[in-house]
Amino acid sequence: MGAKNNTKARKFGNSTYAIVTLALIFVGVVLINYIASFAYTRIDLTEDNLYSLSDETIDLLENDSLFNQPVYFKIYLAGDLPGDLEKIRLAVEEKLNDFRRYAGDKVKFEFIDPNGFGSEEMNRKEQAKILNEGKGLRYSDFQLESSGEIKVKTVWGGAVVEYNGETKDYIHFFSPNTYPPQADLKSLATQAISNLEYNLIHSIRKVIQEKKKSLAFLHGHGELTDK
C-alpha cells in the first residue's frame, strides 16, 4: 500500500513539475515579446552588411542642422504584386523604418496603390500625374505566365519624393522596362534591395541640399589673381 502511495506521489510530483515548467516557459515568451515590442533591432549576419546602414547614412539622418525638414516618400510599389516584387516592397518599408530610427519624423512615407483610386478613370488621371509627361515616375510591364496564358501586370516600381510641399525627386527601384515571362525576377529583386540604401539616401541628400553658391573673380582692377 505504501509503495502505491509513493508511486502516486512521484507521478503527481512529475506532473506538477511539468506544469510549472510549461508555465514558466510561457511567461518567459510573453515577457520577451513584451520587451521586444518597445525596442526594434535587427542583427545583420550577411557578409556585405546588406541590412546595416552605413556610418555616412546615419550621420546625415542625425544631422539636424542640414536635415531639418521632413522628406516625404510616396511609394507606388503597392497593391497585388508578384512575389519577388513584394520582397522589394517589404525591403523598402524596412529600410525607411531603419531611417526613422535615426531621423525620427524627418522621414515620412506611405504606400499608395496606383490602381486604387476608385475607378478606372480616376486611376488613369492619377497615373498621368505620376508619369508627369514622362518626366516623373515611369512604370514597368511584367509579362507573367499563368496556366499557359500570358498576362501583363503593370507595376510602378518607385517613389515620388516631396520636400517642403513640393515634388523634388523620383526614385526607380529597378529600371522601367517590359519584362518577358523568362525574366529573372529573383535577381531583379536582389539587385534592387542591395541598392535601396544608396537610392533613398541619395534622394534625401539631393532634395535637402541648398543651391551651391558661386564664387566669382574680378579682373583688371589690381585684384589678387585667381591663384
Side-chain angles (χ1 to χ4, degrees):
M1 193 68 180
K4 289 182 178 180
N5 288 336
N6 289 336
T7 301
K8 288 180 179 180
R10 283 196 299 271
K11 288 182 178 180
F12 178 78
N14 291 338
S15 298
T16 302
Y17 176 78
I19 292 172
V20 171
T21 301
L22 288 173
L24 290 174
I25 293 174
F26 176 77
V27 171
V29 170
V30 171
L31 183 61
I32 290 172
N33 283 318
Y34 177 76
I35 295 173
S37 68
F38 292 94
Y40 172 81
T41 187
R42 179 171 57 196
I43 299 175
D44 189 354
L45 299 178
T46 58
E47 184 176 349
D48 54 356
N49 294 324
L50 183 61
Y51 300 109
S52 299
L53 298 183
S54 68
D55 292 339
E56 291 80 5
T57 292
I58 294 172
D59 288 344
L60 176 60
L61 294 174
E62 292 182 332
N63 189 332
D64 291 329
S65 60
L66 179 63
F67 184 13
N68 51 31
Q69 296 294 327
V71 174
Y72 181 35
F73 295 89
K74 289 183 176 179
I75 304 152
Y76 290 92
L77 185 62
D80 183 20
L81 299 171
D84 288 304
L85 301 187
E86 177 65 17
K87 292 178 183 178
I88 301 176
R89 190 201 71 78
L90 291 172
V92 172
E93 184 174 8
E94 289 180 355
K95 189 66 69 176
L96 288 173
N97 278 324
D98 283 346
F99 280 18
R100 286 175 59 86
R101 290 173 58 200
Y102 299 97
D105 289 339
K106 292 184 295 183
V107 172
K108 299 178 181 290
F109 65 92
E110 70 170 320
F111 287 86
I112 302 172
D113 184 353
N115 295 303
F117 293 104
S119 67
E120 287 297 324
E121 183 179 359
M122 287 295 296
N123 288 343
R124 285 194 295 271
K125 287 182 178 179
E126 293 298 327
Q127 290 168 12
K129 292 179 184 178
I130 302 168
L131 183 62
N132 191 19
E133 299 179 345
K135 295 178 289 186
L137 196 64
R138 302 189 301 279
Y139 59 85
S140 297
D141 284 332
F142 289 85
Q143 299 174 354
L144 305 174
E145 187 172 0
S146 177
S147 302
E149 183 180 359
I150 302 295
K151 296 183 178 180
V152 177
K153 177 69 175 178
T154 298
V155 176
W156 297 76
V160 175
V161 186
E162 295 182 354
Y163 186 65
N164 283 333
E166 298 180 6
T167 297
K168 293 292 189 179
D169 197 20
Y170 299 91
I171 300 175
H172 290 95
F173 302 128
F174 47 83
S175 297
N177 209 335
T178 297
Y179 293 89
Q182 64 271 23
D184 187 354
L185 299 190
K186 184 177 181 180
S187 295
L188 176 75
T190 300
Q191 186 66 34
I193 292 170
S194 67
N195 290 335
L196 270 182
E197 180 181 343
Y198 172 80
N199 287 331
L200 293 170
I201 202 66
H202 175 73
S203 183
I204 291 176
R205 193 183 301 276
K206 179 179 177 181
V207 303
I208 67 175
Q209 69 179 0
E210 297 180 359
K211 186 177 180 180
K212 293 181 179 179
K213 298 179 181 179
S214 300
L215 183 63
F217 288 91
L218 295 176
H219 294 273
H221 300 281
E223 297 88 352
L224 293 174
T225 64
D226 294 0
K227 186 175 182 179

